[in-house]
Amino acid sequence: MDEVLVLSRIQFAVTVIYHFLFVPLTIGLVILVAIMETRFAKTGDSLYRRMADFWGKLFTINFVLGVITGITMEFQFGTNWSEYSKYMGDIFGSPLAIEALLAFFLESTFFGIWLFGKDKISPKLRAFSMWMVALGTNISALWIITANGFMQNPVGYVIRDGRAELESFTALITNPYAWHMFFHTVISCYIVGSFFVMAVSAYHLLRKNETPFFKKSFKYGLVLAVFAATVTPFIGHQSGVYATEKQPAKGAALEAVWETQSKMPFHIIQFPDAENEKNSFEALSIPRIGSFLYTNTFDGKVTGLKDIPADERPNVPLVFYSFRIMVALGTFFMLASWYGVYLYRKNKLENSKRYLKMMLYSVLLPYVAINVGWIVAEAGRQPWAVYGLMKTSAGVSPISLSQIIFSLGSLVLFYTILLIADVYLIVKFARKGPGTELAAGTEGGGIKHVS
């Protein structure tokens, strides 16, 4: 059973990470496409029409392939985690059903109107459709995170006949843990979308290709990046404080705190030694900052890992280093964004080759940051599937080792093919650029018809 458990966890982790290579770009890019559609509807400037079509094409590729990975992920609750589904089905099923019936149909319906109604609907309706797609993607994220939020912080439930049953739907949807996760996740997705737009724009600006088009695109990505990268540390801080309160083991693992202490310092450099329950090296310590980061007070008390049973601790090195990578990358995103604002205001952006190359080569870093963030959230909750109620080992399906090996191998192969297709198509059309033809519905740079 241990091997089945380990492989089932690996399979679900692989599924989530693959899926989460598509989702952040969908959530982040759709906002920019909707803004471009709105600008065209208001101004009639054909530049915005071409921008919306170009970035909308890249959004379409990612959106379609991302939907496929999401469908596969949900099947695993029945195949690999049937015991978890029996225990949690009454609670977990509600937000997932609403997500499918409300959010997915909202975004897919209006996405179809936007995509196939290009030559048949007015610019205003096309802009409205894309905003509805954006609303749908965010509602989808909200309901999925609501379900996950219960796993992190169970609320509004009763235990009846050996399973968790929903007692208060209001408590479920107002779970503070879920809302902290939602804002932190969605704003992080905006960083992914904005850095993607800036990276593709930088590629073309370096080649002096369609400079007005890509300078304007870079500007829109930069504005979103500055907003998202600036507010993320504050949202993340509050999320970390709340997580430490509700999950002391996760909070202790974030900073590798072994001894319970007040007025805890923050060590800029340290290396955890989980085997000996200590840190092998600590340097550049700042007094009391550690307590502030995890309790919002400089005198706050942080529970150490030694005061938590060994079988209820997460993988400390995994959580610790993932958290450090996320924070370091978040700092880079904020500095890079604000430096871009400086260059843009000084009208030096298109001639700053070093900066443009840095942004081009940074395109994958937001993906790394957001996925290590999810590792922190999910690995930090272990060994609990539902915190304090059900351990992960109790939720796995009674299946054979050969079955899980076959499904894991098939899944990796299938997802790798999808990922290769996604990267190939996005790179192909991103490098091709927007083309020189006028967009449908425009003539001579103005609007042919607007209703």
Side-chain angles (χ1 to χ4, degrees):
M1 179 60 73
D2 288 343
E3 292 177 329
V4 172
L5 172 63
V6 171
L7 290 178
S8 292
R9 288 184 62 186
I10 291 174
Q11 178 169 309
F12 197 80
V14 168
T15 306
V16 171
I17 289 176
Y18 266 98
H19 181 56
F20 218 58
L21 292 175
F22 297 90
V23 172
L25 183 57
T26 295
I27 295 176
L29 189 54
V30 68
I31 295 293
L32 292 171
V33 176
I35 292 173
M36 294 168 188
E37 288 284 4
T38 303
R39 292 297 297 158
F40 173 68
K42 287 185 175 182
T43 67
D45 188 341
S46 61
L47 176 63
Y48 291 114
R49 172 74 277 142
R50 297 178 67 220
M51 287 170 62
D53 286 345
F54 173 70
W55 297 110
K57 181 185 294 183
L58 301 181
F59 166 80
T60 299
I61 295 169
N62 190 77
F63 177 83
V64 171
L65 293 176
V67 168
I68 300 172
T69 62
I71 294 173
T72 307
M73 181 174 64
E74 294 188 6
F75 286 154
Q76 291 185 56
F77 292 116
T79 58
N80 296 74
W81 301 98
S82 60
E83 296 302 315
Y84 165 84
S85 298
K86 291 176 186 177
Y87 185 82
M88 272 283 293
D90 186 67
I91 297 173
F92 204 69
S94 300
L96 291 187
I98 296 172
E99 186 271 335
L101 294 173
L102 174 62
F104 179 72
F105 279 102
L106 176 66
E107 62 184 345
S108 60
T109 298
F110 280 99
F111 174 72
I113 293 173
W114 175 82
L115 182 64
F116 299 109
K118 177 179 178 180
D119 301 323
K120 302 177 179 64
I121 61 177
S122 69
K124 289 183 180 179
L125 181 55
R126 202 152 188 245
F128 175 78
S129 297
M130 187 49 70
W131 279 113
M132 289 299 99
V133 175
L135 177 63
T137 59
N138 282 269
I139 292 177
S140 178
L142 175 60
W143 285 111
I144 292 172
I145 291 174
T146 296
N148 185 269
F150 181 90
M151 298 167 65
Q152 304 280 353
N153 179 42
V155 294
Y157 70 95
V158 293
I159 302 297
R160 186 178 291 119
D161 297 326
R163 62 193 297 267
E165 295 185 5
L166 186 61
E167 184 178 51
S168 173
F169 186 73
T170 300
L172 178 69
I173 63 176
T174 58
N175 186 350
Y177 207 116
W179 284 99
H180 279 293
M181 290 180 66
F182 172 73
F183 286 113
H184 191 38
T185 302
V186 169
I187 299 298
S188 298
C189 291
Y190 295 165
I191 296 177
V192 175
S194 60
F195 268 70
F196 173 81
V197 169
M198 290 190 291
V200 175
S201 299
Y203 173 84
H204 289 279
L205 289 174
L206 285 166
R207 288 155 180 78
K208 305 299 181 182
N209 177 36
E210 295 263 15
T211 297
F213 179 99
F214 285 106
K215 185 177 180 181
K216 180 74 72 173
S217 295
F218 195 102
K219 174 186 175 182
Y220 276 77
L222 184 60
V223 170
L224 182 61
V226 167
F227 162 73
T230 302
V231 303
T232 292
F234 299 98
I235 295 174
H237 167 68
Q238 291 303 126
S239 181
V241 170
Y242 194 78
T244 301
E245 177 186 342
K246 296 300 179 180
Q247 299 181 18
K250 178 188 289 185
L254 292 177
E255 198 55 38
V257 181
W258 300 100
E259 304 284 349
T260 299
Q261 54 187 297
S262 301
K263 302 178 181 179
M264 187 181 78
F266 172 71
H267 309 291
I268 296 177
I269 300 175
Q270 64 177 339
F271 301 104
D273 180 359
E275 184 176 349
N276 295 305
E277 297 187 332
K278 65 177 184 178
N279 294 326
S280 60
F281 181 79
E282 295 176 346
L284 302 178
S285 301
I286 307 176
R288 297 193 177 193
I289 294 298
S291 286
F292 176 78
L293 291 177
Y294 297 103
T295 66
N296 267 341
T297 64
F298 292 102
D299 299 328
K301 182 179 180 180
V302 179
T303 301
L305 288 161
K306 288 185 179 181
D307 288 333
I308 298 170
D311 63 347
E312 295 183 8
R313 301 175 191 171
N315 184 322
V316 176
L318 177 62
V319 176
F320 174 85
Y321 288 115
S322 296
F323 179 68
R324 289 286 172 120
I325 292 171
M326 180 184 68
V327 171
L329 288 175
T331 303
F332 167 76
F333 300 147
M334 182 167 58
L335 295 176
S337 300
W338 279 106
Y339 185 60
V341 170
Y342 166 78
L343 293 176
Y344 193 92
R345 290 177 64 88
K346 293 293 185 179
N347 202 29
K348 297 179 179 179
L349 179 66
E350 61 266 41
N351 296 318
S352 301
K353 292 185 177 181
R354 289 184 179 179
Y355 178 76
L356 292 175
K357 287 181 179 179
M358 180 185 72
M359 298 307 291
L360 172 60
Y361 297 140
S362 298
V363 66
L364 296 180
L365 294 182
Y367 288 96
V368 174
I370 204 167
N371 273 284
V372 294
W374 269 108
I375 290 174
V376 170
E378 300 308 301
R381 188 185 69 240
Q382 295 302 320
W384 301 100
V386 184
Y387 195 80
L389 295 181
M390 184 186 199
K391 287 193 174 181
T392 305
S393 57
V396 70
S397 298
I399 56 178
S400 67
L401 183 61
S402 60
Q403 288 176 311
I404 184 65
I405 291 175
F406 174 78
S407 61
L408 176 58
S410 301
L411 192 72
V412 170
L413 177 62
F414 174 65
Y415 273 17
T416 300
I417 293 173
L418 284 180
L419 182 61
I420 291 172
D422 181 65
V423 173
Y424 170 76
L425 291 173
I426 286 180
V427 170
K428 175 183 177 180
F429 287 105
R431 293 180 64 179
K432 183 179 179 181
T436 57
E437 70 279 0
L438 285 173
T442 65
E443 188 174 39
I447 302 178
K448 183 182 286 186
H449 62 275
V450 176
S451 58

